[in-house]
Amino acid sequence: MVISFNNILQNGGFETGSLSPWVNLGAAAAVIDSVVNTGAYACLLTPTVTKSIVSQQFAVIPGESYQLSFSVSKFSAALPSAPFAYSIQFYDISNNFLSYGLVGGANDLPDGNEGSWLSVFDVTGIAPPGAAFGYLYIGAFPAAGVSAVVLDSVVVVQAEGIGATGPAGGPPGETGATGATGPQGIQGIQGIQGIQGPTGPQGPQGIQGIQGNDGPTGATGAAGAAGAAGATGATGAAGAAGAAGATGATGATGAAGAAGATGATGPANSLADQGFSAFTNATGVTESTQIANWTVTSPYYGSLGFNAMTGTFTVPATGKYAIAATINYSTTAVINAAIPSASPSFAVQIINATPPNTNLITGLFPILNVNAIVLNLRVILGDGTVTLAGDVQLTAGNTIGLFYLADGLTLGLNLGGADSEGIVWSVHRLT
């Protein structure tokens, strides 16, 4: 393949000391000088509760391919690196999406503080007809207990063709002397102006102007018509009451009336009201944890025994209870390693049991387990749904919760699914 080494990107090594013309998406990215691969500066991507992505637009030619290369490492030696991904996407002149040029990523980056960097080289597919722009996206994604990511030496060049591999030559000759530096090339032409952004929101209303001076007093109006006659005066006070007459004799007591009919029986107490139904979504995890931060607003509902923040339900009375949970999940990165012994699962547990955290109902992740002559592979599915359901006997005062049990799996997960399918958990008393 013949590669043109004229970097199409601007400020690909961040050597201006700033991000421009890179565009910062999500959590703030920053230019640093403490951990670098080449030159004096690099870019630090720090995902917090949101992803941290930098992007740059560049012009493309339909029918051509482009090579992407860059160096990347983790920022903190004491923590594993945040999940990391990159892509190039093709758009037409009206900024309509056409196709993906390439997509890639990694989970375990080396430590840049020790001079260790991952060098990435990737080539796009051919730019489709009508393509005018390429958009490069490089970013780090949030997960519990992970290091920020350092990016440096980003280059995009045009791959001008692919030829057949020639035969091996003789041994390499001695390295010649370094030639003199050539003169600086002429400045490239200015890129195509981007499409106009949408109209901004209307500004706030201006303050009220100063009140004007009072106008001159108008002429006196004509005299009004005479008023109506006044109301008749009040009636005089009544005369004094006459003396009361003597009290008459008490009459005989009447016979007792018949007893009234018995009233209808009131409604029975509903055992199903002693329970809850709750929803949560998009919880990022990499290790075993109790699932918390639930929503009990309509169409879901809570109860006095359910703590929506911690996800713990305190059993109000001894009896039989129905438990159900539907858990959607998605992996946060491409699965690139097998799990030979891990069996991750979801479980409803009695938290204050003896021993603590005793499983009541357990559901294993769906596992792809292939054993063929040339392939032996055991991995979890990238997207899936686990359903738990069962009736159990519980004692008043038991505390129960819904847990993710990693069993050694360190792959990052979105509990609730990538498309907001969510998790629904409910408990109701039967007897």
Side-chain angles (χ1 to χ4, degrees):
M1 176 178 291
V2 178
I3 302 297
S4 168
F5 289 97
N6 181 25
N7 191 358
I8 299 174
L9 300 179
Q10 300 180 45
N11 195 24
F14 308 97
E15 295 307 309
T16 64
S18 68
L19 280 177
S20 182
W22 292 89
V23 177
N24 184 195
L25 307 174
V31 173
I32 62 171
D33 60 5
S34 56
V35 179
V36 299
N37 181 43
T38 60
Y41 297 98
C43 178
L44 182 66
L45 303 174
T46 307
T48 53
V49 295
T50 61
K51 55 197 173 187
S52 180
I53 297 176
V54 290
S55 174
Q56 188 171 149
Q57 179 199 69
F58 57 93
V60 299
I61 302 172
E64 297 293 336
S65 297
Y66 296 85
Q67 177 176 288
L68 167 67
S69 64
F70 57 86
S71 296
V72 65
S73 73
K74 65 179 181 179
F75 182 70
S76 173
L79 297 172
S81 63
F84 172 79
Y86 59 90
S87 70
I88 289 179
Q89 303 173 21
F90 293 125
Y91 287 74
D92 65 15
I93 192 66
S94 298
N95 229 32
N96 296 310
F97 173 78
L98 299 178
S99 67
Y100 281 94
L102 57 81
V103 177
N107 283 325
D108 189 14
L109 299 179
D111 182 9
N113 296 279
E114 298 179 352
S116 297
W117 294 76
L118 174 65
S119 296
V120 175
F121 297 90
D122 209 341
V123 178
T124 71
I126 294 174
F133 304 113
Y135 282 87
L136 169 60
Y137 298 92
I138 302 178
F141 295 82
V146 296
S147 166
V149 171
V150 184
L151 173 67
D152 202 358
S153 308
V154 187
V155 176
V156 171
V157 295
Q158 183 176 332
E160 298 176 348
I162 302 176
T165 302
E174 296 180 356
T175 302
T178 302
T181 302
Q184 179 173 324
I186 62 174
Q187 180 174 332
I189 62 173
Q190 180 172 325
I192 300 172
Q193 179 175 334
I195 62 175
Q196 180 173 327
T199 303
Q202 180 174 326
Q205 180 175 331
I207 61 174
Q208 182 173 327
I210 300 172
Q211 181 175 334
N213 297 326
D214 291 339
T217 302
T220 302
T232 302
T235 303
T247 303
T250 302
T253 302
T262 302
T265 302
N269 182 39
S270 175
L271 298 179
D273 290 341
Q274 300 183 29
F276 68 93
S277 177
F279 175 88
T280 190
N281 186 41
T283 300
V285 299
T286 57
E287 59 186 7
S288 297
T289 187
Q290 182 177 356
I291 302 174
N293 298 318
W294 296 87
T295 296
V296 292
T297 54
S298 182
Y300 308 97
Y301 52 90
S303 71
L304 294 178
F306 180 63
N307 187 324
M309 180 176 294
T310 64
T312 300
F313 175 63
T314 301
V315 176
T318 299
K320 295 178 182 178
Y321 289 77
I323 300 176
T326 300
I327 306 109
N328 295 287
Y329 75 90
S330 298
T331 58
T332 60
V334 176
I335 301 173
N336 56 13
I339 52 168
S341 61
S343 294
S345 63
F346 294 98
V348 176
Q349 296 184 341
I350 301 180
I351 301 172
N352 61 349
T354 303
N357 295 89
T358 299
N359 289 346
L360 290 172
I361 306 172
T362 303
L364 294 174
F365 274 60
I367 300 292
L368 176 63
N369 196 350
V370 179
N371 187 354
I373 296 175
V374 295
L375 176 65
N376 191 346
L377 177 66
R378 184 175 185 270
V379 296
I380 68 170
L381 298 184
D383 295 277
T385 301
V386 177
T387 301
L388 307 179
D391 299 342
V392 296
Q393 178 76 30
L394 296 175
T395 303
N398 283 156
T399 55
I400 66 173
L402 179 60
F403 289 77
Y404 162 59
L405 306 177
D407 192 34
L409 180 67
T410 59
L411 181 65
L413 299 175
N414 274 338
L415 301 186
D419 296 323
S420 302
E421 296 88 348
I423 302 173
V424 177
W425 180 36
S426 64
V427 178
H428 298 95
R429 185 180 173 193
L430 300 175
T431 64

